[in-house]
Amino acid sequence: MRVEIVVPPKVAAGVPVPIAIRIGNTAARPIELHLQGRTVVFDLIVSRGDTVMWRRLEGESVTAILQLRTLAPGEVLELKDTWQQNDGAGRPVGPGEYRVTGVVPTDAAPLRAGPVTLMIGD
Amino acid sequence: MRQRTVLFVSLVAGTVLFSACSDTTQPTPPSDERIGFDPVQQPDDPVALVRGIPGFGGFFFDREGVPTVYLRDVSARAQVERALGPWLAAQGLRAAALRVRRADYDWASLERWQGRATEQALAMRGAVWVDADEARNRVTIAVERGTPVAQLRSAVARLGVPSAAVLVEEVEPVRLAATLQQRVRPVVGSLQINFPGFLCTLGFNATRNGQRSFITNSHCTNTQGGSEGTPYWQPTSTVAPTQIGTEVADPAYTTGGVGCPSGRRCRRSDSARARYASGTTSTLGRIARTSGANNGSITITANFNITAEGSALVGQTVHKIGRTTGWTRGSVTGTCVNTNLSGSNITQLCQTWVSAGVGAGDSGSPVFRRQGTGSNVTLVGILWGGSGSTLYVFSPISNIETELGALTTF
């Protein structure tokens, strides 16, 4: 199985940033994933240095149901969202280098992707 | 030192233990070889140091922790002290601390008779285990209550095992320790349940208008809000294909009610009721109990018994047991909190928040307060979600019964 996070390497300031976590079955047989939520729950964390600037699930209440999801050989599950370049308080972030991490809760260890670097230009 | 190899052959009425041990003193007759002794010795095995001493009958530590040896000839003590001295010193003990008891039987004979007795005794219904008992210098056979002992003794005696060398005692049968994610009958609270495509936790058993039922979350049905006859299995349809129940009550989420924010749909509980199938056994008032709070175990070791329903206040300690994170304990941090469900237009009104562990699959977990340190508990609600892995939210039992109707829970 391959878990990766896809982020454009560089965006202009203020432009919404599309972020995707891709979970791919690289095996020759189906695999069953145990994922949280009726709609798959996933978190995205955007950091600058050691500071978390934005967290997708910050303060959110999600159900604790477990979804059984089968991925066929070669199939990819993509979880997407868009970061508006705001911090947790809704304020625009400035230009600079950021790191983006993805976390997908399961009933065991979470699936993790990244971090990858995102440059926000002037 | 003895080695035991355990083979489980039955899940239902009891479990038979098969014990293998070593016998390296002298050639054994064919009947013993058939049993398949394996010469197993551990590097730090004191028995291996003394089994060659004539008349050695067993070595153990008594209740006071005193190293004790059985000898047919107590004058062989000096030999034993020489042989065991270094090992005892490694344990921080002096050889002079050794206590000697007069043995009726030598250890090699006990092991040989254990082997013979195993073949006969453990083949009998009700037998639990057979032990070369180093603490009593006997072969001990344990049986379930009600097992015909005379028959057992006769069978063992016919194998040449002296009757006086055999102790028979009654014990509880050994059972596999099931987990919350395995098949358990009768069905009780906290067990894993499965409906098409999803896993949740069964909250608690309840009777409604004489109908034997269980309660779980509304979002643990095919459609959250509205009853559509969701089928349930425990633990899964694959492991146990016989359906255990069917959803029969799951009120709709409504708009415009008192306290419901504009544009959102609301209920006061995330709960639904399912009717048990006639062939599925269940126990009212019982919740599966795992080995301890906040230890991550999902192994069922006992039961909790619901003896009351109640509420939980900020600062009080509550417990939940769910199929993923097991038994977690923590403090109530907020009561009557109107809570939006992320990614939906649903608002759950007047919920209770707790600072304690939660994980995917714990939806539906019963939440309760303990009455002292025993097994009696007060049911306070069922868990439906959380924020992260250390904060969860539950629907209070009063809200559940307001929406599902009066329930008999114990």
Side-chain angles (χ1 to χ4, degrees), chain B residues 340-364:
Chain B
N340 282 348
L341 174 60
S342 178
S344 78
N345 64 351
I346 286 175
T347 299
Q348 296 288 162
L349 298 172
C350 207
Q351 307 296 288
T352 305
W353 281 85
V354 179
S355 176
V358 59
D362 286 340
S363 274

Side-chain angles (χ1 to χ4, degrees), chain A residues 34-39 57-69 105-108, chain B residues 197-200 219 221-222 323-324 339-342 353 359-363 384-387:
Chain A
H34 288 192
L35 306 173
Q36 183 169 359
R38 295 185 68 104
T39 303
L57 291 183
E58 182 67 44
E60 296 288 325
S61 305
V62 297
T63 59
I65 191 171
L66 197 63
Q67 178 182 148
L68 307 174
R69 183 74 166 260
T106 73
D107 62 345
Chain B
F198 298 91
L199 299 178
C200 282
H219 75 263
T221 69
N222 283 339
R323 61 82 66 196
T324 297
T339 304
N340 282 348
L341 174 60
S342 178
W353 281 85
D362 286 340
S363 274
W384 61 263
S387 184

Side-chain angles (χ1 to χ4, degrees), chain B residues 292-294 317-320 326-331 354-357 370 392:
Chain B
N294 297 339
T317 298
V318 295
H319 307 255
K320 80 96 181 71
W327 179 1
T328 61
R329 173 187 65 210
S331 297
V354 179
S355 176
R370 293 189 69 182
Y392 72 76

Side-chain angles (χ1 to χ4, degrees), chain B residues 227-289:
Chain B
S227 181
E228 58 289 326
T230 304
Y232 292 96
W233 292 266
Q234 196 291 313
T236 64
S237 60
T238 305
V239 169
T242 302
Q243 191 175 322
I244 68 160
T246 306
E247 175 197 12
V248 292
D250 183 8
Y253 284 77
T254 58
T255 60
V258 175
C260 189
S262 174
R264 300 189 71 82
R265 300 180 297 134
C266 299
R267 272 183 60 180
R268 297 180 69 81
S269 76
D270 183 345
S271 67
R273 182 170 67 88
R275 177 192 71 229
Y276 272 111
S278 59
T280 299
T281 55
S282 62
T283 303
L284 188 68
R286 185 168 289 181
I287 295 171
R289 174 178 179 169

